[in-house]
Amino acid sequence: VQLQASGGGLVQAGGSLRLSCAASGSIFSINAMGWYRQAPGNQRELVAITSSGGSTNYADSVKGRFTISRDNAKNTLYLQMNSLKPEDTAVYYCNADLTLDRGSYRVRATYWGQGTLVTVSS
Protein backbone atom coordinates (compact mmCIF):
# COMPACT_ATOMS: atom_id res chain seq x y z
CA VAL A 1 0.00 0.00 0.00
CA GLN A 2 1.27 3.46 -0.88
CA LEU A 3 0.10 6.98 -0.27
CA GLN A 4 1.56 9.34 -2.85
CA ALA A 5 1.23 13.01 -1.97
CA SER A 6 1.80 15.83 -4.43
CA GLY A 7 0.98 19.46 -5.12
CA GLY A 8 3.22 21.33 -2.74
CA GLY A 9 5.32 24.28 -3.78
CA LEU A 10 6.18 27.91 -3.24
CA VAL A 11 3.37 30.46 -3.28
CA GLN A 12 2.95 34.05 -2.20
CA ALA A 13 0.73 34.96 0.71
CA GLY A 14 -2.87 35.10 -0.40
CA GLY A 15 -2.31 32.48 -3.05
CA SER A 16 -3.70 28.99 -3.44
CA LEU A 17 -2.44 25.44 -3.77
CA ARG A 18 -4.15 22.09 -4.15
CA LEU A 19 -2.64 19.01 -2.58
CA SER A 20 -3.45 15.49 -3.71
CA CYS A 21 -2.87 12.13 -2.07
CA ALA A 22 -3.45 8.94 -4.04
CA ALA A 23 -3.77 5.62 -2.23
CA SER A 24 -2.86 2.45 -4.09
CA GLY A 25 -2.56 -1.23 -3.30
CA SER A 26 -4.85 -3.97 -2.04
CA ILE A 27 -7.38 -1.64 -0.48
CA PHE A 28 -10.79 -3.00 0.42
CA SER A 29 -12.08 0.31 1.77
CA ILE A 30 -10.89 3.69 2.95
CA ASN A 31 -12.12 4.79 6.34
CA ALA A 32 -10.90 8.18 7.51
CA MET A 33 -8.37 10.21 5.54
CA GLY A 34 -6.72 13.39 6.63
CA TRP A 35 -4.02 15.97 6.18
CA TYR A 36 -1.47 16.83 8.83
CA ARG A 37 1.37 19.31 8.77
CA GLN A 38 4.64 19.84 10.54
CA ALA A 39 6.50 23.12 10.58
CA PRO A 40 10.18 23.29 11.59
CA GLY A 41 10.53 22.95 15.33
CA ASN A 42 6.86 22.09 15.79
CA GLN A 43 4.96 18.89 16.35
CA ARG A 44 2.85 17.38 13.62
CA GLU A 45 -0.69 18.74 13.80
CA LEU A 46 -4.01 17.86 12.26
CA VAL A 47 -5.11 20.16 9.46
CA ALA A 48 -8.29 18.49 8.22
CA ILE A 49 -9.90 15.07 8.22
CA THR A 50 -12.78 13.41 6.42
CA SER A 51 -14.61 10.24 7.38
CA SER A 52 -15.93 7.52 5.12
CA GLY A 53 -19.35 9.06 5.53
CA GLY A 54 -18.15 12.41 4.27
CA SER A 55 -18.07 14.37 7.50
CA THR A 56 -15.18 16.79 7.85
CA ASN A 57 -13.28 18.52 10.61
CA TYR A 58 -10.75 21.31 10.37
CA ALA A 59 -8.17 22.91 12.59
CA ASP A 60 -9.38 26.32 13.72
CA SER A 61 -6.42 27.94 12.00
CA VAL A 62 -7.55 26.80 8.54
CA LYS A 63 -11.33 26.95 8.80
CA GLY A 64 -12.83 28.97 5.99
CA ARG A 65 -9.62 28.82 3.95
CA PHE A 66 -8.95 25.10 3.37
CA THR A 67 -11.31 22.49 1.98
CA ILE A 68 -10.75 18.75 2.24
CA SER A 69 -12.39 16.40 -0.23
CA ARG A 70 -12.01 12.88 -1.53
CA ASP A 71 -12.71 10.98 -4.73
CA ASN A 72 -13.58 7.47 -3.59
CA ALA A 73 -13.49 6.07 -7.13
CA LYS A 74 -9.87 7.17 -7.45
CA ASN A 75 -8.88 6.55 -3.81
CA THR A 76 -7.61 10.11 -3.78
CA LEU A 77 -7.71 12.80 -1.13
CA TYR A 78 -7.45 16.51 -1.85
CA LEU A 79 -6.77 19.66 0.12
CA GLN A 80 -7.66 22.94 -1.52
CA MET A 81 -5.78 25.69 0.27
CA ASN A 82 -6.81 29.29 -0.35
CA SER A 83 -5.75 32.60 1.21
CA LEU A 84 -2.48 31.03 2.25
CA LYS A 85 -0.47 32.66 5.01
CA PRO A 86 3.24 32.42 5.86
CA GLU A 87 2.27 30.47 8.98
CA ASP A 88 0.87 27.73 6.74
CA THR A 89 4.43 26.91 5.70
CA ALA A 90 5.09 23.28 6.60
CA VAL A 91 5.51 19.78 5.27
CA TYR A 92 2.04 18.41 4.66
CA TYR A 93 1.39 14.70 5.17
CA CYS A 94 -1.63 12.67 4.18
CA ASN A 95 -2.87 9.93 6.45
CA ALA A 96 -5.28 7.12 5.69
CA ASP A 97 -7.11 4.61 7.87
CA LEU A 98 -7.55 1.68 5.49
CA THR A 99 -9.12 -1.74 5.46
CA LEU A 100 -6.87 -3.97 3.37
CA ASP A 101 -7.88 -7.01 1.35
CA ARG A 102 -5.60 -9.92 2.21
CA GLY A 103 -7.55 -12.47 0.22
CA SER A 104 -9.05 -14.70 2.90
CA TYR A 105 -9.15 -11.94 5.49
CA ARG A 106 -9.09 -8.20 5.92
CA VAL A 107 -6.94 -6.06 8.15
CA ARG A 108 -7.20 -2.45 9.22
CA ALA A 109 -4.09 -0.30 9.16
CA THR A 110 -2.96 3.32 9.11
CA TYR A 111 -0.57 4.71 6.53
CA TRP A 112 1.29 7.97 6.01
CA GLY A 113 2.30 9.61 2.75
CA GLN A 114 5.82 10.89 2.20
CA GLY A 115 5.03 14.56 2.77
CA THR A 116 4.95 17.52 0.43
CA LEU A 117 6.46 20.89 1.26
CA VAL A 118 4.34 24.01 1.17
CA THR A 119 6.16 27.32 1.45
CA VAL A 120 4.24 30.58 1.68
CA SER A 121 6.26 33.74 1.23
CA SER A 122 5.21 37.07 2.71
Side-chain angles (χ1 to χ4, degrees), residues 1-39:
V1 174
Q2 280 193 327
L3 296 183
Q4 183 68 41
S6 61
L10 173 64
V11 64
Q12 287 189 331
S16 298
L17 283 174
R18 188 193 194 204
L19 305 183
S20 299
C21 176
S24 60
S26 300
I27 298 169
F28 175 76
S29 65
I30 298 178
N31 308 311
M33 291 188 80
W35 290 98
Y36 293 73
R37 68 186 180 187
Q38 187 168 16

Side-chain angles (χ1 to χ4, degrees), residues 19 34-48 59 61-62 66 79 81 86-95 112-120:
L19 305 183
W35 290 98
Y36 293 73
R37 68 186 180 187
Q38 187 168 16
N42 290 356
Q43 291 187 331
R44 192 172 297 187
E45 62 177 4
L46 174 68
V47 176
S61 59
V62 307
F66 291 9
L79 185 69
M81 304 186 294
E87 52 263 43
D88 294 319
T89 295
V91 178
Y92 284 69
Y93 298 90
C94 60
N95 173 277
W112 290 92
Q114 83 282 11
T116 184
L117 177 62
V118 172
T119 304
V120 185

